[in-house]
Amino acid sequence: NVMTRWLYRYEAKKIQDYVLGTSRLKEIAGASALVEQLGDEFKGALTKAGVTDAKVITCAAGQATVIFANEASLRRLASVWPMYCARTRPGLPVIQGWVAFPEGEPDAKGYAELMRALFAKLDADRMRPRASLPEVGPLVARAGRSGLAAVEYATKDRALCDEAMRAKLREARETHEDFRERLLEETPFAGRRFAHGGEEDRSFDEGYVAIVHADGNNIGKRFQETPFKNQEKLSKGLGEATREAVKRALRHVSAQPRRHAAWNAAGALLPFRPVVLGGDDVTVMLRADDALPFTYEFLRAFQEETASGLKGLLTGAFKDGLTASAGVAMVKSAFPYHAAYDLAEELCQHAKSEAKRHACTPEGHPTGGSTTRGARSCRPGGTPPSTRGADDPTSNARCSPPGA
């Protein structure tokens, strides 16, 4: 008899919207910590559910892929994991799906069909309607900033908070930010704190702030070409390479002659906020004048770190490392962060198309108003190039690739 196994995957969707869907840095800090801890809590959920026959293939902030040898164990986990996420991270959509396959390593064609079937299951779960709890009835007060059911008053301004705001603020107060310690270890900033939005935090109070979104090129294809037995190594190595690249970019920014004084002031908050760091997906907030040096160095370091950290897992044209693309949106500090992220993501997608011709391609679109014309205005044929320097936060020039 042929043994049957099950390939399971969960994904947290709209992560950046969940984190950046507020103008308050303190809520952003809490939301980013909640997302970062999701991977560790998923592994803990496997243990608490009594699952001992599962092999974790990938597990980063916001997603995991697992092979189960027993369907009962899979269904035991699947019955509780979405409820746990809804309870601890209200407002963050989580979908899941699984498919059966015969024991043994599938060939390239079989793997592609398996993943196609798995993502079809995820798409079906994504379309399933979900109720927003608690429901808003005629006698229920609404949180002013979201319109959802209010559950408590904020401690500072007594504004009404919905369930998601409460979870983010609670996490901002209670979190020890373990991911901060992991990110800053072996750097000159060990022991320092990121910008967090507290009363003493003036990191982004004035001037321009930048949202940088970077994403690896063709990473999904690399996983499809990698056998199951090596995918865990690839996933872990990719996450480590991304963190090392961020560390190198932080060190590079702090060494710039025009750096902000807070970078090297002992005990001062770093003018930097990681929003999402999972796998090859990076979204950060920092001062606008630091954004381009950070982005260029990150893209260079990402390729170098993947070349050394994934040696033996990358072949052919990728043996010299993986590449990434990035979008940079520079906005006034009062500009809605979620709108700035949408712009940075759009620019990143445009940069990915440019990456077919260039090894690394950051794409920038500084803007300073309360509205924006979109990424198209900064592309070739859009806004004329500025005569100001590339590091000027009021420049509206398209960023060139490194070395161009």
Side-chain angles (χ1 to χ4, degrees), residues 239-259:
E240 291 175 351
T242 300
R243 288 183 180 278
E244 287 301 318
V246 172
K247 289 181 184 180
R248 287 176 54 176
L250 286 173
R251 286 194 291 264
H252 176 75
V253 169
S254 70
Q256 294 296 303
R258 295 170 57 188
R259 66 185 180 275

Side-chain angles (χ1 to χ4, degrees), residues 16-198:
Q16 281 82 358
D17 289 343
Y18 174 75
V19 176
L20 294 171
T22 175
S23 59
R24 299 188 176 185
L25 188 57
K26 197 163 190 176
E27 289 180 25
I28 292 175
S32 60
L34 285 170
V35 170
E36 186 68 23
Q37 295 163 9
L38 199 56
D40 291 339
E41 292 182 23
F42 176 76
K43 293 179 179 178
L46 286 172
T47 302
K48 291 179 180 178
V51 177
T52 59
D53 55 356
K55 177 177 175 56
V56 178
I57 302 298
T58 65
C59 186
Q63 60 84 17
T65 304
V66 184
I67 294 177
F68 284 85
N70 184 290
E71 185 179 11
S73 296
L74 184 157
R75 292 188 178 277
R76 191 159 59 247
L77 173 77
S79 66
V80 299
W81 180 241
M83 290 191 295
Y84 175 82
C85 293
R87 176 63 177 167
T88 60
R89 292 158 178 82
L92 179 65
V94 172
I95 60 175
Q96 61 179 358
W98 58 89
V99 292
F101 68 101
E103 189 172 16
E105 185 74 33
D107 57 19
K109 182 179 179 181
Y111 178 79
E113 292 176 352
L114 186 62
M115 295 306 295
R116 192 178 302 115
L118 178 59
F119 282 107
K121 294 282 189 179
L122 291 172
D123 287 340
D125 194 43
R126 181 184 295 109
M127 299 301 293
R128 185 166 55 86
R130 290 172 170 80
S132 176
L133 298 176
E135 293 185 355
V136 183
L139 301 179
V140 176
R142 294 175 182 262
R145 288 191 290 131
S146 68
L148 300 177
V151 294
E152 73 173 17
Y153 288 99
T155 55
K156 181 180 178 182
D157 55 11
R158 301 291 292 171
L160 289 170
C161 293
D162 63 31
E163 192 75 44
M165 294 176 194
R166 178 170 67 175
K168 294 172 185 178
L169 289 171
R170 181 192 299 125
E171 187 63 27
R173 291 191 297 267
E174 298 177 358
T175 182
H176 297 294
E177 294 198 295
D178 293 337
F179 75 100
R180 177 199 73 204
E181 296 174 4
R182 293 197 299 269
L183 184 62
L184 297 181
E185 64 185 6
E186 299 178 3
T187 73
F189 312 115
R192 299 275 295 278
R193 301 173 67 195
F194 294 131
H196 55 69

Side-chain angles (χ1 to χ4, degrees), residues 288-352:
D289 50 355
D290 297 325
L292 295 184
F294 174 90
T295 305
Y296 282 130
E297 183 61 23
F298 170 79
L299 294 178
R300 291 190 184 95
F302 181 80
Q303 184 167 3
E304 294 171 3
E305 292 294 335
T306 53
S308 60
L310 301 178
K311 190 174 296 183
L313 297 174
L314 302 177
T315 58
F318 303 99
K319 67 179 185 302
D320 293 329
L322 301 173
T323 61
S325 300
V328 181
M330 300 180 186
V331 298
K332 286 286 191 179
S333 58
F335 192 84
Y337 291 138
H338 66 88
Y341 167 75
D342 289 343
L343 183 55
E345 184 181 39
E346 184 182 351
L347 290 166
C348 182
Q349 293 305 314
H350 178 66
K352 280 178 175 287

Side-chain angles (χ1 to χ4, degrees), residues 5 66 75 108 131 161 179 197 209 213 217 234 252 269 279-280 285 288 313 316 349 356 361 374 391:
R5 295 189 294 173
V66 184
R75 292 188 178 277
C161 293
F179 75 100
V209 62
H213 177 67
N217 298 324
L234 179 60
H252 176 75
L269 295 173
D280 63 310
M285 297 173 57
L313 297 174
Q349 293 305 314
K356 296 178 181 178
T361 311
D391 288 340

